[in-house]
Amino acid sequence: MSERHAPIVKSQPVRTLHWPDEQATQRWAGALAAHLTEWPGGRDACIELRGDLGAGKTTFVRHLLRACGVRGRIKSPTYAVVEPHQGELDGQPWPIWHFDFYRFSDPREWEDAGFRDIFAGPGLKLMEWPDKVAGQLPPPDWVIAIEAEDESSRRVRVLAGTERGSAWLESAHQALWLEGPHAL
Ligand code: ADP
Ligand code: MG
């Protein structure tokens, strides 16, 4: 008699959001920044931003950087691939790395540019166009997938890719998903 096993389906935690306008995007970025400083490992989070050109990935990152204490002009890393920033956490510098892999073409660049060291080191890592370097990035704690509904409104899914990322999704339940004008 053959034994039948039920397939093991590990459901991926996911939450949905709605940002009706850019102010809502900014508010949610602010709330997330506050949480990142509190969650275990949150200050070293790896977060992928996904979505079409113009979805709002860079816009969201800029609001998040500001909320993390980054001052001065915020350059986009489109040409440099990575832009290092310094946030502020408990009065201490908080390293934050903003990647945009859109123009990344040579896999050797990964080693040469020292990206391996950045990902092994401390600090918040935010990645646009992670699919351009698929297989080289560590698994992200979160994937934030942004979809434009019209000019100002965005539908957003947040997926966890690590154990701690799943824990953050759970612990953020009240403050980030259910309450406030950004909730669905
Ligand atoms: P991406 O990095 O995904 O290519 P950008 O952030 O560069 O996209 O561009 C998004 C554009 O959409 C910006 O001009 C931004 O002002 C606009 N926008 C309008 N509403 C929103 C919103 N709710 N969230 C984010 N961006 C928005
Ligand atoms: Mg962008």
Side-chain angles (χ1 to χ4, degrees), residues 57-58 100 128:
K57 303 180 293 297
T58 303
D100 184 336
E128 295 186 52

Side-chain angles (χ1 to χ4, degrees), residues 53-54 56-59 76 78 98 100 128-129:
L53 268 179
K57 303 180 293 297
T58 303
T59 301
S76 181
T78 308
H98 178 195
D100 184 336
E128 295 186 52
W129 299 103

Side-chain angles (χ1 to χ4, degrees), residues 102-171:
Y102 192 72
R103 284 186 173 73
F104 191 89
S105 52
D106 185 353
R108 280 173 307 179
E109 206 184 327
W110 185 267
E111 297 295 336
D112 297 348
F115 292 165
R116 183 184 296 279
D117 296 336
I118 293 177
F119 280 95
L124 176 61
K125 295 104 190 163
L126 306 164
M127 293 87 75
E128 295 186 52
W129 299 103
D131 40 317
K132 303 271 181 180
V133 285
Q136 280 171 296
L137 286 172
D141 295 305
W142 275 10
V143 174
I144 299 180
I146 308 172
E147 207 181 320
E149 281 187 316
D150 55 37
E151 229 161 84
S152 69
S153 118
R154 303 292 186 264
R155 199 152 287 274
V156 184
R157 282 172 307 137
V158 183
L159 300 93
T162 63
E163 290 289 322
R164 70 181 187 185
S166 302
W168 301 341
L169 272 196
E170 295 302 322
S171 70

Side-chain angles (χ1 to χ4, degrees), residues 58-79:
T58 303
T59 301
F60 171 73
V61 167
R62 280 169 185 269
H63 288 305
L64 184 61
L65 290 172
R66 283 278 178 248
C68 291
V70 174
R71 302 204 188 111
R73 201 168 91 83
I74 294 179
K75 271 194 348 191
S76 181
T78 308
Y79 294 97

